[in-house]
Amino acid sequence: MNRDLASYKFLDDAGDLFRFTGRFFQQWFKPRYEIAEFIRQCYIVGYKSLPLIGLTAFIMGLVLTMQLRPSMLKYGVEFELPAIVGIAIVREIGPVITALIFAGKIGSSMGAELGSMKVTEQIDAMEVSGTNPFKFLVVTRVMATTFMLPVLLLLGDAISLYGSYLGVNIRGDTSFTLFWMQVFKNLSFNDVLPAFVKSYFFGFAVGMIGCYMGYTSNKGTEGVGSSANSAVVLSSIIIFFLDLLAVQITDVLGFN
Amino acid sequence: MTEVQQATNKDQTMSITSVLVIRHLYKSFGKNHVLIDFNLEVHKGESVVILGKSGSGKSVLIKCVIGLLKPDQGTIEMFGQNIPDLDHEEIDQVRARVGFLFQSNALYDSMTVRNNLEFPLRRHWIKVTQEEVNSMVIEALEDVGLTHTIDMMPEELSGGMRKRIALARTLILRPEIILYDEPTTGLDPITAKEIIGLMREIQAKYDTTSVIISHDMNCIRTASDRVIVLIDGKCHAIGTYEELKQSDDPKVKHFFE
Ligand SMILES: Nc1ncnc2c1ncn2[C@@H]1O[C@H](COP(=O)(O)OP(=O)(O)OP(=O)(O)O)[C@@H](O)[C@H]1O
Ligand SMILES: [Mg+2]
């Protein structure tokens, strides 16, 4: 059988990614724990992506509100604008946009960073220096993305809603308190929880794929670039698939 | 070889104390047979050069020695332990006594020179105070003559300086054996000479054993006690620089032209 067929290659790669993920679960609870490095990575991950996530979230909230206003006006329910925007942002747009920006910023930089560490033998050098490079580099990074994305999501949602508040006030006049009251009157725990939970999975996927692409990258500078690129592409696709899966699960569990 | 001869050979090597003994080493990647029955014995305090074409498996050989690659067959005895058999903790203990200078330096480019040097120290010797670390870092930098670079990033350094910093990082744990992977490749002749000079100084100062991979004739002439020619995955010829230079073997001659 022709092993070069694209589908075989795809299955091969998918198998490698699953094995890599398996290795993560095998190693993450075993000592020695790289706590300091984990905290450093959390800081880097948050610090690097917060400005970008904040900016896109703000614009998203503002634009979404302004785009929705005409239709709302047509049906005479423009006073429901904060409520509908709140639902849209908290349930879907916030988590997905945040995760995509996160993948573009953090996934690619992890792919490139680990990729260049691999080709310049820095990963081998760590191993020789009495360090398990998988734990030190991969486990800490994946944990950092998993824990930081939900935090970034909360900040992103808040900024996004603030953008929406401004959007409401460009044409209308709603006080700050009234705006938030309308948003929260409509939002229940069942809206917030699934979105929050799925962002852990998004964060995990971004970290895992970024690290996998970098850690297994090929020799040569071209290898590093393509690791970064495939990290972004694959994690973006996976985010949408996870989102699709999440909506089915919440539906079955009755979180609606 | 008869059994008696084998036995006497063994006795002799015991008395010289070999620090590294490689026997019947095989390593292949798929159909690419890189090492085929490679044998080598390195004695304490000597400096052995391994000579071979690009792609002949020199890096693979020393990566097997340090445990970064697992050989398919054969034994690698270092300090009396067989490297391929060791588990993670045991191999870390061996690695704390061995220095490895990477072909591409492998400096951590997200860390300053200071943190690069501290890394192996903090990782191998968990109970070490900040003062001890500082003084060891300074001393290692003094050994390579680059104390002023301590707070620089690797990207701010020239190729020769990076090689020296990498050497300092290798030295910092006071290794008993240092494995050099092409220490002078890619450097201009003058810098290469300086690096060779440094290697000789280190050898004298700390009484280390060196295994050096090189095709640089200058390096081989000045830094080797013995030269091993690696061809087709085997130890093709062995001898001092002068002996091999006089050799009639066309394959060996080829290197010395
Ligand atoms: N991780 C690996 N996977 C597959 N093949 C490898 C791997 N490492 C080395 N090889 C192959 O082993 C052979 C020897 O490689 P090696 O790096 O040891 O050469 P070398 O003698 O060090 O050459 P150079 O002087 O260019 O550094 C090459 O054919 C290479 O393709
Ligand atoms: Mg090599």
Side-chain angles (χ1 to χ4, degrees):
Chain A
M1 234 183 291
N2 186 1
R3 297 269 293 165
D4 291 339
L5 272 171
S7 51
Y8 281 105
K9 195 169 155 3
F10 172 77
L11 288 179
D12 239 27
D13 289 349
D16 283 347
L17 179 56
F18 276 110
R19 260 193 298 282
F20 193 79
T21 311
R23 201 167 150 198
F24 170 85
F25 285 111
Q26 220 173 41
Q27 301 228 358
W28 81 275
F29 61 89
K30 276 195 222 150
R32 114 193 213 186
Y33 304 109
E34 308 285 0
I35 311 267
E37 182 64 14
F38 165 67
I39 293 171
R40 203 176 76 89
Q41 284 303 327
C42 283
Y43 174 74
I44 291 174
V45 161
Y47 171 84
K48 262 193 190 165
S49 55
L50 184 59
L52 203 58
I53 286 176
L55 182 68
T56 45
F58 177 79
I59 294 174
M60 238 15 249
L62 180 68
V63 171
L64 190 68
T65 312
M66 291 174 69
Q67 300 273 35
L68 276 174
R69 178 190 291 280
S71 329
M72 302 291 277
L73 211 58
K74 201 164 114 195
Y75 294 105
V77 284
E78 95 230 57
F79 55 89
E80 291 282 13
L81 203 48
I84 192 94
V85 171
I87 288 280
I89 285 173
V90 169
R91 288 192 67 145
E92 176 63 15
I93 294 171
V96 171
I97 293 284
T98 310
L100 288 178
I101 299 289
F102 194 71
K105 185 78 189 166
I106 302 300
S108 70
S109 86
M110 279 182 179
E113 189 189 5
L114 295 194
S116 79
M117 288 187 82
K118 168 89 179 188
V119 301
T120 58
E121 298 179 308
Q122 290 175 54
I123 292 184
D124 284 346
M126 282 198 169
E127 190 161 354
V128 172
S129 300
T131 302
N132 177 343
F134 193 90
K135 275 193 118 90
F136 190 82
L137 298 171
V138 177
V139 174
T140 55
R141 277 174 174 74
V142 175
M143 299 281 277
T145 56
T146 310
F147 285 103
M148 286 312 282
L149 186 56
V151 175
L152 289 163
L153 171 66
L154 290 184
L155 292 169
D157 277 353
I159 294 171
S160 205
L161 288 173
Y162 183 73
S164 165
Y165 164 71
L166 293 185
V168 168
N169 274 291
I170 285 178
R171 287 282 164 78
D173 186 16
T174 309
S175 80
F176 198 59
T177 355
L178 182 61
F179 174 83
W180 286 102
M181 267 177 54
Q182 284 184 324
V183 168
F184 281 108
K185 202 178 68 196
N186 233 297
L187 272 181
S188 68
F189 187 65
N190 284 355
D191 297 316
V192 180
L193 187 70
F196 192 66
V197 169
K198 77 182 170 188
S199 72
Y200 279 98
F201 288 90
F202 291 168
F204 180 78
V206 170
M208 208 70 227
I209 292 167
C211 288
Y212 167 75
M213 290 297 173
Y215 208 78
T216 57
S217 110
N218 297 325
K219 280 251 178 213
T221 27
E222 203 185 319
V224 176
S226 76
S227 312
N229 186 18
S230 9
V232 178
V233 173
L234 186 60
S235 41
S236 306
I237 295 171
I238 297 286
I239 284 167
F240 282 110
F241 272 103
L242 286 176
D243 197 38
L244 185 63
L245 200 65
V247 81
Q248 307 299 331
I249 292 172
T250 45
D251 199 40
V252 170
L253 294 181
F255 277 107
N256 275 322
Chain B
M1 224 187 271
T2 65
E3 269 177 40
V4 180
Q5 269 177 319
Q6 254 174 353
T8 47
N9 269 357
K10 213 169 189 180
D11 285 349
Q12 275 170 2
T13 56
M14 290 295 240
S15 61
I16 304 173
T17 63
S18 310
V19 282
L20 172 62
V21 184
I22 301 175
R23 291 229 165 84
H24 310 299
L25 195 71
Y26 288 79
K27 176 75 192 172
S28 45
F29 298 99
K31 288 204 180 100
N32 180 5
H33 300 285
V34 179
L35 296 174
I36 306 157
D37 196 13
F38 183 86
N39 291 281
L40 171 66
E41 209 160 302
V42 180
H43 309 140
K44 191 165 183 351
E46 84 171 330
S47 154
V48 173
V49 171
I50 298 171
L51 179 61
K53 279 195 307 206
S54 182
S56 57
K58 301 175 299 298
S59 298
V60 169
L61 172 67
I62 58 170
K63 282 187 177 165
C64 286
V65 170
I66 197 77
L68 286 171
L69 291 171
K70 225 175 173 61
D72 302 333
Q73 257 184 65
T75 58
I76 302 167
E77 261 180 46
M78 210 166 11
F79 311 121
Q81 283 169 296
N82 184 20
I83 302 297
D85 290 343
L86 301 182
D87 67 23
H88 277 296
E89 272 164 37
E90 291 166 330
I91 205 155
D92 276 347
Q93 280 164 9
V94 172
R95 282 171 179 164
R97 300 167 68 186
V98 181
F100 193 115
L101 186 68
F102 284 88
Q103 192 166 350
S104 56
N105 298 333
L107 293 177
Y108 307 123
D109 38 38
S110 59
M111 302 184 196
T112 62
V113 167
R114 180 199 297 275
N115 291 339
N116 261 285
L117 298 197
E118 280 183 7
F119 192 85
L121 266 182
R122 294 210 171 279
R123 292 269 141 186
H124 275 304
W125 302 347
I126 296 161
K127 293 187 194 102
V128 60
T129 65
Q130 186 61 45
E131 287 91 69
E132 283 172 317
V133 169
N134 285 345
S135 72
M136 294 183 83
V137 167
I138 300 281
E139 194 185 342
L141 284 174
E142 273 166 1
D143 283 339
V144 298
L146 283 178
T147 17
H148 62 284
T149 62
I150 188 159
D151 289 318
M152 289 190 182
M153 299 301 282
E155 65 201 18
E156 299 172 70
L157 305 173
S158 72
M161 286 159 105
R162 272 183 229 167
K163 190 59 93 186
R164 284 164 181 241
I165 296 296
L167 193 54
R169 189 177 68 183
T170 323
L171 278 182
I172 202 155
L173 291 168
R174 297 289 138 72
E176 292 155 59
I177 305 179
I178 302 184
L179 310 168
Y180 298 92
D181 195 350
E182 305 198 14
T184 58
T185 304
L187 300 175
D188 64 90
I190 297 168
T191 317
K193 239 184 207 146
E194 286 172 5
I195 298 286
I196 298 166
L198 264 177
M199 286 160 55
R200 306 237 13 118
E201 271 172 40
I202 287 158
Q203 172 111 2
K205 186 171 171 191
Y206 298 115
D207 191 27
T208 53
T209 309
S210 313
V211 177
I212 305 165
I213 287 176
S214 187
H215 353 243
D216 179 353
M217 277 305 141
N218 213 346
C219 170
I220 296 168
R221 198 182 58 240
T222 48
S224 69
D225 297 327
R226 276 194 301 155
V227 181
I228 281 140
V229 184
L230 173 63
I231 297 174
D232 297 332
K234 279 192 190 64
C235 177
H236 186 82
I238 189 164
T240 62
Y241 174 78
E242 296 301 331
E243 282 168 14
L244 290 182
K245 206 175 170 190
Q246 252 98 65
S247 162
D248 297 327
D249 190 327
K251 282 182 179 168
V252 175
K253 252 189 171 159
H254 186 68
F255 284 102
F256 288 82
E257 267 157 13

